Amino acid sequence: DVFTSGDVVGLADDKGTISRKLAGRRNQRKASFEVAYKPGNLQAVAYYKGSEHAKATLSSIGTAKATKMVPDKKLLSLSKERDMVMVDITILDSNGQVVTFANREILLSVSEELQVFAIGNSAVKKTETIQMRQDEVAVQVVDGRARIAVIPLKEGKGFVGAFCEGLKKSKLQINVKA
């Protein structure tokens, strides 16, 4: 279904136009299409009084190719009580899309300036807290995503590396100040 304030919707795949259907008020501002799945892109273009009004594209997710880590900040302070950084970990395809069906274990290497304090993913009701310092931590990625909390231990340039067999590695620098 394509919902639009336009009056006509055209649907196209990578090879060209599949179909055009009326939307508008008479059809509750919706155009419905039945299309067999095939990998690639599917684009809906809405028209209003003959002019292009809006468009949206859906793309198939490919196979897992890389890990990616994105922190909410890159600087921690030893003087701030309970300072921590939250790091989102994702598994991506070759187009940079999250592979939502990826359920894999990722091994994190952690430099001496940092400690992974907690681990979470969509399969657990609460985050798991890690009680002791570890140079290597295993994280279960569920539905292509996981999250870790990192705390400072020592001043300097800290690093977290993410490794998973068959995937491109990622590395993150988090600076720790006194």
Side-chain angles (χ1 to χ4, degrees), residues 2 5-6 17 19 27 35 37 41 45 49 51 77 94 97 117-118 130 134 137 145 148-149 159 169 178:
V2 179
S5 57
T17 301
S19 179
N27 294 315
V35 180
Y37 173 78
N41 298 307
V45 180
K49 294 184 179 179
S51 295
S77 175
S94 58
Q97 295 184 102
F117 178 73
I130 298 173
Q134 298 176 357
V137 177
R145 299 177 187 276
I148 60 172
F159 294 93
K169 302 172 188 174

Side-chain angles (χ1 to χ4, degrees), residues 18-157:
I18 295 173
S19 179
R20 287 173 70 102
K21 292 198 175 183
L22 293 175
R25 252 186 219 159
R26 283 188 182 167
N27 294 315
Q28 300 173 328
R29 304 212 179 276
K30 175 176 81 173
S32 296
F33 299 88
E34 285 207 24
V35 180
Y37 173 78
K38 59 182 172 182
N41 298 307
L42 196 58
Q43 184 175 60
V45 180
Y47 298 90
Y48 181 73
K49 294 184 179 179
S51 295
E52 187 176 302
H53 179 63
K55 69 169 81 170
T57 303
L58 292 175
S59 299
S60 303
I61 297 171
T63 58
K65 296 291 183 191
T67 60
K68 181 179 181 182
M69 294 186 290
V70 177
D72 65 351
K73 61 184 179 180
K74 292 187 176 184
L75 179 64
L76 290 171
S77 175
L78 290 168
S79 63
K80 275 183 158 177
E81 189 177 333
R82 299 182 187 207
D83 198 13
M84 74 173 63
V85 59
M86 300 301 293
V87 180
D88 290 321
I89 302 170
T90 52
I91 295 178
L92 305 176
D93 68 6
S94 58
N95 293 321
Q97 295 184 102
V98 176
V99 181
T100 55
F101 52 83
N103 298 309
R104 299 173 91 165
E105 187 174 88
I106 291 180
L107 186 63
L108 300 178
S109 65
V110 184
S111 67
E112 64 184 8
E113 294 82 9
L114 304 170
Q115 177 184 351
V116 174
F117 178 73
I119 299 170
N121 61 40
S122 63
V124 293
K125 298 290 184 214
K126 62 178 185 172
T127 57
E128 174 186 339
T129 302
I130 298 173
Q131 297 297 327
M132 63 181 158
R133 175 159 171 12
Q134 298 176 357
D135 293 341
E136 290 187 345
V137 177
V139 176
Q140 186 63 42
V141 175
V142 176
D143 300 332
R145 299 177 187 276
R147 178 175 265 195
I148 60 172
V150 177
I151 59 174
L153 292 180
K154 165 180 166 180
E155 187 175 8
K157 290 182 181 179

